[in-house]
Amino acid sequence: MKIIQINSVYNKGSTGKIVFDIHNDLLKNNIDSIICYGRGKKSNDENVIKVCSEVYSYIQHFISEFTGIPYNGFFFSTRKIINIIKKEKPDIVHIHCLNGYYVNIYKLIKWLKINRISTILTLHAEFMYTGGCGLALDCNKWLEARGCHNCIRFKQEFHSKFFDRTNFMWNQMIRAFEGFDKKKLIVSSVSPWLLHRAKQSYVFKDYRNVTVENGLDTNVFHAYDSETIDSLKNKHKIRDEKVIFYVTPTFNIKPNHNKGANYVIELAKKMITEKVVFIVVGSYDKNIEVPPNITMLGNIFDQKLLAKYYSMADITLLTSKKETFSMVTAESLSCGTPVVGFKAGAPEMIAIKEYSCFVDYGNIDALYDAVIEMLSQNKKNFIIHKFAKKEMTKKYLELYHDLL
């Protein structure tokens, strides 16, 4: 068996790590595995191919700001992917994220369809059925017969300077998949919440839809020993305070930002008299003002160090408006630390109920009560195997065999 995976990045970010894990598990099982990826540094790993130069990506990105269509163009990088598939003749093409300015989605899907290539499409976000938005949030126009139109977020979502092309993109996506042999395509969603939405969409409602939850390396993400935890606490001069941990790519405090960092500041102010400290991981503007009970760490790229912070925390906080999976939830629970946050779609469906609590989005009083209650229960160092990467790769292997 030979598998080609296609993703925007390799061995970085959540999807890049997932692709990396699947690739290595396939190799361990003596299955030929090749990866095509578009963005980031060139990898020297065997059978891993970067298909798009950064200069070419930037040029195409610049053009898309004027056309309003981020998934078009990219003639040379798309042709390179197709030529690799022609040369390697894989049994299955496994597609992950096609956004990121490196491939023409419509041309690639149409080519796979016309050439009857067995394909697994893993949905990590919503753009493959909304036609554009990675997260539709409260908008349901993608469910309407005419599709997305009159988008109020098109400049923000697609960096388009002039045109709202959401309806064009929605129709293009439908045409790309229209007529794809139902025996040749499986649509895999990373959470039950995402699966439910994909099955409602005009793009995927007639295809086989399944759920394969994301996995992670439990040799890294697990509960660390007390000596490690005490060392971190001493580093931050934490004595008997409870630790609330928050992880985000960017600590953006704008009220309309999906990750909801503004609620972290609001909650910290509300708990200023409590024996609680907040530790935040993620890039941030050095000029923002935060309460004295918040410690800003910036980005942590060392995954073992990140896992040690999860282990040190008493709870992990999640304030997103919408998430299609939530690696933060999976990582925290795998490290034996409970999660408290807002209901955001997928997180409350993938979490372990005994070790999590989710309240209505934006209800800061309910969030405060949930945090206090979870801290009082002192649930720590439990063992969760649900998110082990071997479970994820096992399910994908089953899908590969089913598809063949």
Side-chain angles (χ1 to χ4, degrees), residues 358-393:
F358 296 90
V359 302
D360 291 339
Y361 178 77
N363 190 333
I364 196 70
D365 291 330
L367 183 64
Y368 170 83
D369 291 341
V371 166
I372 293 295
E373 175 62 24
M374 189 64 78
L375 288 175
S376 70
Q377 293 179 23
N378 197 31
K379 293 182 177 180
K380 281 287 295 175
N381 298 326
F382 47 83
I383 298 174
I384 298 292
H385 295 296
K386 178 184 179 184
F387 303 108
K389 65 179 181 180
K390 66 179 181 180
E391 296 298 324
M392 172 187 70
T393 52

Side-chain angles (χ1 to χ4, degrees), residues 71 96-100 105 121-136 157-158 169-170 173 194 203-204:
Y71 308 135
H96 294 269
C97 285
L98 294 180
N99 59 338
I105 292 179
L121 172 64
T122 292
L123 302 180
H124 296 275
E126 297 194 89
F127 68 93
M128 292 298 286
Y129 58 75
T130 64
C133 292
L135 278 172
E157 191 74 26
F158 311 114
M169 290 190 289
W170 185 83
M173 198 70 80
L194 195 58
V203 184
F204 299 129

Side-chain angles (χ1 to χ4, degrees), residues 175-186:
R175 292 192 188 104
F177 282 97
E178 195 172 42
F180 209 122
D181 189 337
K182 292 180 178 61
K183 295 180 180 179
K184 294 288 184 178
L185 177 65
I186 295 176

Side-chain angles (χ1 to χ4, degrees), residues 175-375:
R175 292 192 188 104
F177 282 97
E178 195 172 42
F180 209 122
D181 189 337
K182 292 180 178 61
K183 295 180 180 179
K184 294 288 184 178
L185 177 65
I186 295 176
V187 182
S188 170
S189 296
V190 297
S191 69
W193 179 82
L194 195 58
L195 170 77
H196 175 70
R197 289 167 73 83
K199 288 171 69 174
Q200 295 180 79
S201 72
Y202 281 84
V203 184
F204 299 129
K205 63 181 180 181
D206 295 326
Y207 293 97
R208 180 183 173 188
N209 284 267
V210 300
T211 299
V212 179
E213 292 184 358
N214 290 335
L216 47 81
D217 188 349
T218 48
N219 290 320
V220 174
F221 290 97
H222 60 83
Y224 283 76
D225 57 77
S226 58
E227 184 178 344
T228 300
I229 292 170
D230 289 341
S231 176
L232 270 183
K233 285 188 174 182
N234 289 332
K235 177 182 176 181
H236 293 286
K237 298 179 180 178
I238 297 169
R239 298 296 177 254
D240 55 350
E241 297 93 343
K242 296 289 187 178
V243 178
I244 297 175
F245 193 45
Y246 183 78
V247 182
T248 182
T250 304
F251 193 75
N252 190 323
I253 61 173
K254 291 180 180 178
N256 62 344
H257 194 272
N258 180 57
K259 295 297 183 182
N262 56 305
Y263 289 109
V264 179
I265 291 180
E266 195 172 339
L267 183 64
K269 289 178 178 178
K270 197 175 180 69
M271 301 186 76
I272 199 73
T273 60
E274 311 276 353
K275 295 188 74 173
V276 167
V277 295
F278 289 73
I279 294 182
V280 173
V281 169
S283 63
Y284 65 98
D285 183 346
K286 300 298 189 294
N287 295 318
I288 65 170
E289 294 184 6
V290 298
N293 57 348
I294 293 183
T295 298
M296 306 295 294
L297 296 184
N299 285 320
I300 294 180
F301 298 106
D302 183 336
Q303 295 296 285
K304 283 190 176 180
L305 179 58
L306 180 62
K308 289 172 184 177
Y309 273 103
Y310 276 120
S311 294
M312 180 187 71
D314 292 282
I315 64 168
T316 296
L317 188 65
L318 194 73
T319 56
S320 302
K321 186 171 186 178
K322 283 289 182 288
E323 294 280 356
T324 57
F325 180 73
S326 179
M327 287 302 288
V328 169
T329 298
E331 289 168 354
S332 181
L333 292 174
S334 296
C335 291
T337 299
V339 178
V340 176
F342 293 135
K343 294 175 183 176
E348 60 268 27
M349 297 184 77
I350 67 165
I352 311 299
K353 289 185 178 180
E354 183 182 354
Y355 304 113
S356 62
C357 182
F358 296 90
V359 302
D360 291 339
Y361 178 77
N363 190 333
I364 196 70
D365 291 330
L367 183 64
Y368 170 83
D369 291 341
V371 166
I372 293 295
E373 175 62 24
M374 189 64 78
L375 288 175

Side-chain angles (χ1 to χ4, degrees), residues 5-20:
Q5 291 187 86
I6 303 172
N7 192 48
S8 55
V9 293
Y10 171 69
N11 201 18
K12 75 171 194 176
S14 58
T15 61
K17 292 168 193 167
I18 288 163
V19 167
F20 173 82

